[in-house]
Amino acid sequence: MRAARKGYAWLCALLWLLGKPPGAVFVAICARQGDSSCRFLSVSDLFDRVIQHSDRLHSLSTALYLDLEKNFLPNGNELGKWTGKCHTSRMLTPNGKEYVQKIPREELTQLILRLLQAWKEPLSHFDQNIGHHQELSSDSLSKAKQISNMVHELKTGMEKVTEKMQSMGIISNSLNGMGSSEAAGLSISNEANVMSDYEFIHCFRRDSNKVQSYLKILKCRIWPGNSC
């Protein structure tokens, strides 16, 4: 319950941020409306909240991945050998940190948003259908639902932070919106629909790790600090 409240609080702050004047650097975050203990956060701090949300998302995907491996692959060896293609494989998603650091900020921001968009619909479908596995515990089913909700929250939060960074001149306004047909093609691709559940989570775990890494690299390039 406490984690849910934290997630709700940071999302409310991001949504509220969008309505602030372009020159506003700090925003207030409150656990509930009228709370006298509100804290003021910079846009950099809010970016950290996005990164923390991404970290929790990747940890949750790893936990569900291990649940599925335990239930469907007792020997624990076939899943690691799976070499099939994920439905996002057609997207250029670099792995090396050196290469990622050379990508313009705007392109890296767009890549993060495109990856999140590509998983929204498949994860929603996955959450609705994973219940047919009677051998899975309620905890595993809860993880699937949390992952679906958290991807939606993360994309919404990242969109709001991106718009604020653009209005403050931190990044340019040259982001090209992903066409609706391209987004739809990535979201409902046949590859995502025909994969087994553990293959599906294998792919999402891989991409959630990429989003996590990209966010940290992007943050360090904009606000270099001790953690970079």
Side-chain angles (χ1 to χ4, degrees):
M1 181 65 72
R2 182 176 298 176
R5 287 177 179 173
K6 286 183 179 179
Y8 177 78
W10 82 263
L11 182 58
C12 287
L14 292 171
L15 292 171
W16 185 78
L17 171 63
L18 186 59
K20 295 299 288 179
V25 178
F26 295 92
V27 298
I29 180 169
C30 312
R32 57 184 180 276
Q33 188 173 4
D35 195 335
S36 60
S37 61
C38 296
R39 289 182 295 157
F40 288 88
L41 301 177
S42 66
V43 178
S44 174
D45 291 332
L46 286 170
F47 205 106
D48 283 336
R49 294 295 182 98
V50 170
I51 291 174
Q52 290 167 12
H53 200 69
S54 175
D55 288 347
R56 290 194 295 270
L57 178 62
H58 180 61
S59 296
L60 200 59
S61 69
T62 298
L64 182 56
Y65 171 90
L66 294 175
D67 287 351
L68 294 177
E69 185 177 47
K70 178 181 178 181
N71 279 279
F72 303 119
L73 297 172
N75 294 327
N77 54 4
E78 293 185 33
L79 183 55
K81 294 180 180 179
W82 181 68
T83 58
K85 286 189 176 182
C86 303
H87 78 286
T88 53
S89 295
R90 71 186 73 179
M91 298 173 61
L92 180 60
T93 53
N95 291 312
K97 184 176 180 180
E98 267 187 39
Y99 182 76
V100 176
Q101 288 176 328
K102 296 178 182 178
I103 301 176
R105 296 174 179 177
E106 292 75 14
E107 290 184 19
L108 188 54
T109 301
Q110 185 180 43
L111 181 55
I112 293 168
L113 291 171
R114 291 181 70 231
L115 271 173
L116 293 172
Q117 171 64 34
W119 279 103
K120 275 181 63 179
E121 189 174 330
L123 279 168
S124 178
H125 180 78
F126 175 76
D127 172 43
Q128 293 170 9
N129 290 278
I130 194 174
H132 72 272
H133 291 301
Q134 297 180 356
E135 58 269 63
L136 287 179
S137 67
S138 58
D139 182 59
S140 296
L141 299 179
S142 176
K143 287 171 186 172
K145 181 172 289 295
Q146 287 181 67
I147 288 172
S148 179
N149 291 338
M150 288 178 72
V151 165
H152 176 76
E153 292 172 356
L154 184 59
K155 181 173 182 291
T156 299
M158 188 59 195
E159 286 172 342
K160 302 311 179 185
V161 171
T162 298
E163 290 177 28
K164 191 61 183 179
M165 290 193 298
Q166 288 176 322
S167 70
M168 294 174 64
I170 296 174
I171 61 175
S172 73
N173 293 320
S174 61
L175 285 180
N176 296 317
M178 183 168 57
S180 58
S181 61
E182 181 183 4
L186 284 170
S187 294
I188 60 175
S189 64
N190 288 332
E191 292 94 331
N193 290 335
V194 300
M195 284 189 292
S196 68
D197 290 335
Y198 61 80
E199 290 169 347
F200 181 89
I201 289 300
H202 171 91
C203 287
F204 176 71
R205 179 171 174 259
R206 182 203 69 171
D207 284 350
S208 67
N209 184 51
K210 288 186 177 183
V211 168
Q212 181 186 44
S213 298
Y214 294 167
L215 283 169
K216 291 177 180 177
I217 291 173
L218 180 61
K219 202 267 183 174
C220 284
R221 290 181 60 189
I222 297 173
W223 294 286
N226 296 331
S227 61
C228 295

